[in-house]
Amino acid sequence: MYLADRWKDYQVLDTSNGEKLERWGRFILLRPDPQVIWNTKRTAPEWKKLNGHYHRSNKGGGEWEFFDLPEEWRIKYQLPGVGINGSEFLTFNLKPFKFKHTGLFPEQAANWDWIFNTVQGEVKKGREIKVLNMFAYTGGATLAAAAAGAKVTHVDASKGMTNWAKENARSSGLEEAPIRWLVDDCMKFVEREIRRKNKYQAIIMDPPSYGRGPKGELWRLEDSIYELVQKTEQILADDAILFLINMYTTGLSPAVMDYIISSTIIKSHGGQVNAADIGLIVRDSGLVLPCGSSARWSSL
């Protein structure tokens, strides 16, 4: 399992009865989590010190209840090295918004570390590394790659999420980093890159289970992921260093992602793939809360 275990500003404190108790900086949030199917005693004192609670509705969705929570706040994540801007930290702007989210998936820090270390290792050799980050959300992987010295193309179908990612870049001191910000449908973007014969040394994707493009294009992961990887393989450079798929879709196990990459990327580029669950350690139990899965291909 890939563990995001180096956080200082974030922590899962406890879990029980379909909810997880979290610390985001100095604020305590309680949010639903479908993986928490156990009902254990709520002994952590933070259960009674909530700043925000997202209540799930039986009809779908839900709403926030706030107890002294600001509209926006920041947390930092320490990189495993010093970035090109001389900083050791990424800074993220958080705010509670619909569907229980805060604008960050903290478990992805495990992948940020891998991206940063892999890219920086090649940049230090004098190589130019071009990174494509698709379904890029608020830019955690984009910032990790940029901090390591890569030229990054950030693609997401949401203009709002892309603007949020730009805010995170500014807060992280990476506003001048070579990041190309694009609001686009990822499949159509890849098809255009194939025609333009553009190539990338690193490709990252974190596709949603369901979604729509900027013009209402329907996306369903199970129907589209294999075709997307097949097409994306065509813009992976011969001297590529990494390819990452992250998924939250229930039913698509690490073994499935392993097979997808083995039958596409490895078939054409060699290398090796490692696929596993990704998770966060729960403070009060010491157990690991699973948070989706990731498959990492490396040429090394």
Side-chain angles (χ1 to χ4, degrees), residues 197-229:
K197 300 186 185 306
N198 285 335
K199 301 282 185 176
Y200 298 86
Q201 283 76 34
I203 296 178
I204 303 159
M205 62 174 71
D206 192 357
S209 299
Y210 300 94
R212 291 190 179 275
K215 298 182 180 179
E217 302 91 339
L218 181 63
W219 164 272
R220 187 171 183 272
L221 185 66
E222 293 92 332
D223 296 337
S224 305
I225 185 61
Y226 190 75
E227 180 187 5
L228 176 62
V229 175

Side-chain angles (χ1 to χ4, degrees), residues 10-16 18-24 27-33 36 42-52 281-284 289:
Y10 173 84
Q11 192 174 29
V12 179
L13 304 173
D14 199 5
T15 57
S16 180
E19 295 182 303
K20 59 184 175 184
L21 184 69
E22 306 164 289
R23 178 179 62 81
W24 297 80
F27 300 107
I28 306 300
L29 301 184
L30 182 59
R31 300 189 298 157
D33 191 308
V36 183
R42 302 185 176 197
T43 58
E46 290 89 351
W47 286 102
K48 299 179 181 179
K49 300 178 181 179
L50 301 182
N51 295 103
I281 297 174
V282 181
R283 183 196 68 183
D284 278 20
L289 179 66

Side-chain angles (χ1 to χ4, degrees), residues 132-137 153-163 166 180-196 198 200 207-208 211-219 228:
L132 171 61
N133 185 18
M134 297 189 291
F135 310 97
Y137 195 51
T153 298
H154 173 112
V155 184
D156 195 276
S158 168
K159 183 178 180 180
M161 291 299 105
T162 302
N163 287 336
K166 291 179 182 179
R180 185 166 58 136
W181 307 98
L182 300 177
V183 178
D184 205 344
D185 177 83
C186 290
M187 182 76 82
K188 291 182 178 179
F189 174 78
V190 169
E191 291 170 346
R192 289 196 298 274
E193 290 293 83
I194 292 172
R195 294 194 295 269
R196 291 186 287 237
N198 285 335
Y200 298 86
R212 291 190 179 275
K215 298 182 180 179
E217 302 91 339
L218 181 63
W219 164 272
L228 176 62

Side-chain angles (χ1 to χ4, degrees), residues 221-286:
L221 185 66
E222 293 92 332
D223 296 337
S224 305
I225 185 61
Y226 190 75
E227 180 187 5
L228 176 62
V229 175
Q230 279 184 313
K231 290 184 176 180
T232 304
E233 180 275 322
Q234 298 178 55
I235 60 173
L236 189 66
D238 291 339
D239 60 348
I241 59 171
L242 69 84
F243 190 100
L244 169 68
I245 306 177
N246 187 78
M247 292 187 189
Y248 291 97
T249 303
T250 304
L252 291 181
S253 67
V256 171
M257 291 193 289
D258 187 310
Y259 186 85
I260 290 173
I261 290 180
S262 294
S263 61
T264 54
I265 308 300
I266 289 181
K267 186 176 180 181
S268 60
H269 287 75
Q272 62 183 10
V273 60
N274 291 291
D277 292 326
I278 191 167
L280 294 159
I281 297 174
V282 181
R283 183 196 68 183
D284 278 20
S285 67

